[in-house]
Amino acid sequence: MSNQGKVDCGRRRLVVATAAVGGAGAVAALVPFVSSLLPSERAKAAGAPVEVDISKLEPGQMMTVEWRGKPVWIINRTKDMLDTLPKLADAVADPKSEKNQQPAYAQNDTRSIKAEIMVVVGICTHLGCSPSQKFKKGAEEGMPGEWLGGFLCPCHGSTFDFAGRVYKSKPAPTNLEVPPHYYMADTRILIGEDKKGA
């Protein structure tokens, strides 16, 4: 066999190394392109839906997530919290949630899809302050003796019940907003989007 028929080992190594470097370069160029297809933090803040796991949210607890740069409260309401709602029908300004502050599927007595889980934007509808939770009944948290629990906006004194309904004669003109949302599973909520086909 002649020398021309023999494969040059040095040349083979050079071809393999060049192919490897070229392949790595192609992958490196592809990664930013693929990641550009995913929603950026800016896009999420602008309104991309937010998926929330509520599996560890105990009864009586509240968690806060961010959607469109706003705090969204998710509360696992206890039976006692839910029992306060019918008692306040005469005390709140919009007991039947007739003003457009929630999707149609949350225009009910609890302003929610599942009675025990409340999902509301935690921003007062008066001037955009964030209310504080005042979950304990009576004067224990500096509220009036007849207080049944809910939220107090410290800026101008608007108060809201456990469905986010504003009390009468308060500066806030409407109930707290219920954002579009749906259950992806029993313990997973997608905030910012209605269920397709619903």
Side-chain angles (χ1 to χ4, degrees):
M1 198 173 214
S2 69
N3 285 342
Q4 290 178 345
K6 292 183 180 175
V7 177
D8 184 357
C9 288
R11 184 173 284 171
R12 179 182 284 174
R13 285 188 194 122
L14 182 61
V15 169
V16 170
T18 304
V21 169
V27 169
L30 190 61
V31 167
F33 174 73
V34 170
S35 63
S36 74
L37 299 176
L38 301 173
S40 66
E41 292 305 314
R42 190 174 184 182
K44 286 179 187 174
V50 177
E51 189 176 327
V52 184
D53 179 1
I54 61 167
S55 60
K56 293 186 169 84
L57 190 64
E58 298 291 327
Q61 287 185 339
M62 178 176 96
M63 66 187 295
T64 304
V65 296
E66 187 178 339
W67 170 68
R68 290 188 173 179
K70 302 183 229 178
V72 175
W73 297 336
I74 304 169
I75 304 163
N76 189 348
R77 295 179 287 200
T78 62
K79 183 180 182 310
D80 283 347
M81 289 174 166
L82 290 169
D83 287 347
T84 66
L85 301 180
K87 298 174 186 174
L88 295 171
D90 292 334
V92 294
D94 184 13
K96 300 279 186 199
S97 301
E98 293 172 332
K99 291 186 180 170
N100 190 19
Q101 284 297 101
Q102 63 281 314
Y105 49 79
Q107 189 175 3
N108 52 45
D109 293 340
T110 59
R111 298 187 77 225
S112 61
I113 296 171
K114 293 183 179 182
E116 67 278 7
I117 303 295
M118 173 175 144
V119 179
V120 294
V121 175
I123 296 178
C124 180
T125 55
H126 179 222
L127 292 176
C129 301
S130 188
S132 306
Q133 64 181 54
K134 298 287 185 180
F135 287 4
K136 295 180 181 171
K137 294 181 180 180
E140 194 173 337
E141 293 182 308
M143 299 300 285
E146 67 276 5
W147 179 249
L148 296 179
F151 305 90
L152 166 70
C153 183
C155 299
H156 300 97
S158 292
T159 47
F160 303 88
D161 71 359
F162 283 121
R165 300 179 302 180
V166 66
Y167 279 74
K168 290 178 180 174
S169 304
K170 297 293 178 174
T174 58
N175 297 336
L176 296 177
E177 176 191 357
V178 176
H181 65 283
Y182 71 90
Y183 287 83
M184 304 171 75
D186 283 345
T187 60
R188 295 197 82 76
I189 302 174
L190 190 70
I191 296 169
E193 193 173 286
D194 292 317
K195 190 167 188 174
K196 291 174 178 51

